[in-house]
Amino acid sequence: MEKKTTGPMTILITGAAGYLGSTLTPLLLAGGHRVRGVDSLRQGGGSLLGSWAHPRFRFTRADIRDREAMAACLKGADAVVHLAAIVGDPACAQAPDEARAVNIEASLVLLAAAEATGVERFLFASTCSNYGKMADSDGMVNEDSELRPVSLYAETKVAVERAMLDPKRFPRLCTTALRLSTLFGVSPRMRFDLTVNEFVRELLVRKRLTVYGEQFWRPYIHVRDAARAFALILAQDRARVYHEVFNVGSDDQNFRKQDLLRMLGPLAPQARIERFAKAEDPRDYRVSFQKIRKRLGFEVECSVDEGIEELAQLIRDGVLRDFDAPEFSNLPSS
């Protein structure tokens, strides 16, 4: 299903120390690629220790707004996987000017530099949040559906998508946007500000959970599966992914929070769960992932149920201790 159609490449990963980047880096190294990691290390760099000594891994500490540093990293690169961003609605709301500067301005500069430098491929981590609220509550959105961003985070992703998919603006560069489902699961750079991860932590560590608007839909995907999607697209013939958009996830992993609560119930039956009604939510969408499944053969390997058990085992075994540590969230450092 995931037969490689290209040889080993030199791949630049921005945000390499992040939740997804630190999962993707060892996957690409295992696939025979050379990986150049770039990260500002805002939340530290411990997530890269497992890849640090690998002979095909190189790291540069830099902010993606540093044009000189990024130009040096692009030299000789075959592909860019652009993950670096101010990620999520709360982080963007806390630092809106920085979010625009990083997520839009720096991304467009990086795209132009990649086009001018001779990079072959540019993969961009976008989000299913771009769809906003479904017009038809019984339907499913797909890659051709109208985009209705209702947060600054989604607005920044839509802005970059529209630029990078314009063949007049980037005629040579093979650009691909991956609209990711909400991530969950264990990563070398753990986050507990993501819905599934947060719910597991709250139930097992704090023995209580507060839930708002449990009837609204979201799609979910394990961070390892998301990394596999990037590796899969890098392996495709150029014509199959040139200026394309793919939703990344699985149709059967669309859930409401009330569905998650049913899965989580056996974890901590004595925990207190408080539910608060919420009549409206600007983000309410079920997503179709038929395009990436049918065209590229992508299938997820880890369900939400399995991810919950994986997270629970991490906590029960005491692998992590200080769950209030700032590195476990994605908010900008003060």
Side-chain angles (χ1 to χ4, degrees):
M1 294 272 287
E2 298 187 17
K3 183 179 179 181
K4 183 176 288 189
T5 58
T6 63
M9 293 184 283
T10 297
I11 302 168
L12 173 64
I13 301 179
T14 69
Y19 183 66
L20 177 54
S22 61
T23 301
L24 178 59
T25 293
L27 180 65
L28 293 180
L29 289 171
H33 299 292
R34 295 171 294 278
V35 176
R36 297 176 182 174
V38 175
D39 201 289
S40 64
L41 301 185
R42 185 184 298 231
Q43 267 84 29
S47 61
L48 293 175
L49 291 176
S51 301
W52 195 262
H54 197 288
R56 284 183 273 106
F57 178 71
R58 296 291 181 271
F59 179 76
T60 299
R61 182 173 185 175
D63 190 301
I64 62 167
R65 290 170 288 185
D66 185 337
R67 298 191 183 195
E68 184 176 339
M70 296 310 298
C73 291
L74 284 170
K75 288 181 180 178
D78 300 305
V80 174
V81 176
H82 184 34
L83 309 178
I86 305 298
V87 177
D89 301 346
C92 287
Q94 182 173 311
D97 292 340
E98 184 179 25
R100 293 185 184 92
V102 172
N103 294 10
I104 301 177
E105 295 166 21
S107 296
L108 296 181
V109 170
L110 185 62
L111 274 160
E115 170 88 12
T117 305
V119 172
E120 289 294 323
R121 304 187 180 212
F122 194 105
L123 278 60
F124 177 61
S126 192
T127 173
C128 284
S129 292
N130 292 353
Y131 295 115
K133 188 175 181 65
M134 292 185 296
D136 180 359
S137 61
D138 294 326
M140 297 181 77
V141 293
N142 60 37
E143 289 84 352
D144 296 323
S145 298
E146 179 184 358
L147 301 182
R148 301 179 177 186
V150 294
S151 67
L152 175 58
Y153 176 59
E155 287 173 7
T156 66
K157 295 296 185 178
V158 170
V160 175
E161 272 195 30
R162 286 176 174 161
M164 69 182 283
L165 298 173
D166 182 355
K168 295 180 180 178
R169 190 164 182 177
F170 300 104
R172 187 200 55 75
L173 188 61
C174 179
T175 60
T176 310
L178 288 76
R179 292 180 186 153
L180 302 176
S181 302
T182 299
L183 300 178
F184 67 89
V186 175
S187 161
R189 206 297 256 186
M190 274 307 302
R191 283 177 59 186
F192 287 104
D193 58 335
L194 297 160
T195 304
V196 174
N197 297 6
E198 179 186 11
F199 281 14
V200 173
R201 178 195 64 182
E202 293 297 286
L203 288 173
L204 288 182
V205 176
R206 300 194 171 95
K207 309 300 182 185
R208 66 181 187 276
L209 174 64
T210 302
V211 181
Y212 295 91
E214 60 181 329
Q215 75 272 31
F216 300 110
W217 290 93
R218 299 283 192 284
Y220 296 89
I221 188 170
H222 195 286
V223 64
R224 289 195 303 273
D225 282 325
R228 289 176 50 251
F230 281 92
L232 174 61
I233 288 175
L234 284 167
Q236 299 302 306
D237 290 328
R238 175 185 173 95
R240 302 185 76 189
V241 296
Y242 176 78
H243 289 174
E244 286 283 3
V245 177
F246 294 96
N247 294 332
V248 181
S250 176
D251 287 12
D252 61 5
Q253 297 297 298
N254 284 286
F255 293 113
R256 298 160 296 181
K257 289 180 182 176
Q258 63 195 37
D259 300 321
L260 298 180
L261 292 177
R262 281 194 290 271
M263 298 180 207
L264 289 160
L267 279 185
Q270 304 306 314
R272 186 177 69 179
I273 300 177
E274 294 183 284
R275 296 171 169 88
F276 289 90
K278 193 176 179 183
E280 291 290 334
D281 190 324
R283 295 169 302 155
D284 179 23
Y285 46 85
R286 295 172 65 206
V287 180
S288 168
F289 302 96
Q290 291 301 301
K291 180 178 178 180
I292 193 169
R293 185 180 70 84
K294 292 180 178 180
R295 186 176 298 188
L296 305 182
F298 178 76
E299 302 279 0
V300 302
E301 293 182 348
C302 186
S303 68
V304 171
D305 271 324
E306 292 167 328
I308 287 171
E309 182 55 37
E310 174 189 83
L311 288 158
Q313 196 65 42
L314 182 82
I315 293 171
R316 289 174 179 142
D317 286 347
V319 176
L320 300 177
R321 301 281 183 165
D322 182 7
F323 291 95
D324 293 315
E327 62 263 27
F328 290 150
S329 78
N330 217 45
L331 291 174
S333 303
S334 57

